[in-house]
């Protein structure tokens, strides 16, 4: 089946969520790494918990609540201005270096984001990064009030773009998202940015495991969920060739 639409996850796939580390370290010297990792872990956890509890709040609320949790559990004092400055970074996340060239090479396809992000967060991020010039749509799960990897979230692709799952290639670097999309019935390419060999090496290089290493162990390796993506690539730069081969 010909691929007519290529759909990207946003956070961690097109945009580097680790790029918040510069503002967290600036606000709390010596704590930037641990804040960055705990914040992201709790952000994801809260999205899944809220879906399971059927107590949906959009991703902007989830992001604020998970940062508040992180700072509280680390015993860090802050004022409203500092908190707002850290949160604002989510509207200015760094694109992965190969993102723009990869998208521009596939402009003959429908290109869109499907993200857990709230509409305001996503629209600001896409505009600030310039991707609004190449994307056909920015789709937020907020329309269905449930977070990925719930199947209802992925139905938004066909609803918005009018392209059936069999003609969609979904791209994510998040293993849980790749598994969710595959379970739903999409064609899936997973970006494996940290290989198992690199992960194993990082875990034995020192007596203590650094926060970033722990995050990579929890969030970058393929999950054991009974489904596997159709394709495994190592960066967005490999995507145009994959799409060309599929076509």
């Amino acid at each position: 089946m010909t691929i007519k639409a290529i759909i990207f996850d946003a956070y961690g796939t097109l945009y580097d969520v680790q790029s918040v580390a510069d503002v967290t370290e600036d606000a709390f010297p010596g704590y930037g790494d641990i804040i960055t990792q705990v914040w992201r872990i709790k952000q994801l956890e809260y999205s899944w918990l809220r879906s399971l509890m059927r107590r949906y709040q959009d991703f902007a609320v989830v992001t604020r609540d998970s940062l508040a949790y992180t700072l509280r559990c680390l015993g860090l004092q802050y004022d409203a201005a500092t908190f707002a400055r850290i949160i604002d970074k989510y509207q200015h996340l760094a694109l992965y270096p190969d993102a723009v060239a990869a998208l521009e090479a596939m402009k003959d396809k429908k290109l869109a984001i499907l993200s857990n992000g709230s509409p305001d967060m996503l629209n600001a991020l896409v505009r600030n990064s310039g991707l609004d010039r190449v994307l056909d749509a920015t789709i937020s799960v907020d329309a269905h009030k449930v977070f990925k990897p719930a199947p209802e979230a992925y139905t938004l692709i066909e609803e918005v773009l009018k392209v059936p799952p069999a003609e969609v290639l979904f791209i994510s670097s998040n293993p849980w998202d790749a598994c969710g999309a595959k379970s739903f019935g999409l064609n899936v390419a997973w970006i494996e940015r940290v290989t198992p060999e690199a992960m194993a090496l990082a875990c034995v290089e020192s007596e203590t495991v650094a926060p970033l290493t722990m995050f990579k162990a929890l969030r970058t390796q393929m999950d054991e969920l009974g489904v596997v993506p159709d394709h495994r690539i190592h960066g967005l730069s490999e995507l145009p060739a994959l799409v060309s081969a599929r076509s």
Side-chain angles (χ1 to χ4, degrees), residues 5-15 95 99 103 110-119 121-127 129-132 134-141 148 153-154 156-158 160-161 168-171 177 236:
I6 304 169
I7 312 302
F8 297 85
D9 169 55
Y11 302 121
T13 299
L14 291 174
Y15 297 94
L95 279 168
L103 268 66
K110 289 187 176 181
L111 302 176
I113 282 173
L114 173 67
S115 173
N116 280 343
S118 64
M121 289 178 70
L122 288 173
N123 290 336
L125 179 61
V126 168
R127 182 175 61 253
S129 65
L131 287 193
D132 55 331
V134 293
L135 292 173
D136 296 292
T138 301
I139 308 168
S140 169
V141 302
K148 296 185 292 178
Y154 301 102
L156 283 161
I157 297 171
E158 186 170 8
V160 174
L161 297 179
V168 170
L169 180 63
F170 184 82
I171 316 300
D177 193 17
L236 291 163

Side-chain angles (χ1 to χ4, degrees), residues 14 21 36 48 58 110 124 128 140 155 197 204 207-208 230-231:
L14 291 174
T36 298
W48 302 329
D58 72 25
K110 289 187 176 181
N128 291 336
S140 169
T155 65
E197 294 77 15
V204 299
E207 294 182 1
T208 59
D230 302 281
H231 309 282

Side-chain angles (χ1 to χ4, degrees), residues 76-126:
L76 298 173
Q77 302 299 312
Y78 58 91
D79 56 25
T82 299
F83 191 88
R85 180 160 59 90
I86 297 173
I87 287 290
D88 183 66
K89 183 65 176 180
Y90 257 84
Q91 296 189 7
H92 301 274
L93 294 174
L95 279 168
Y96 280 99
D98 52 354
V100 173
L103 268 66
E104 288 182 342
M106 301 181 293
K107 288 191 293 187
D108 59 322
K109 309 293 184 183
K110 289 187 176 181
L111 302 176
I113 282 173
L114 173 67
S115 173
N116 280 343
S118 64
D120 288 347
M121 289 178 70
L122 288 173
N123 290 336
L125 179 61
V126 168

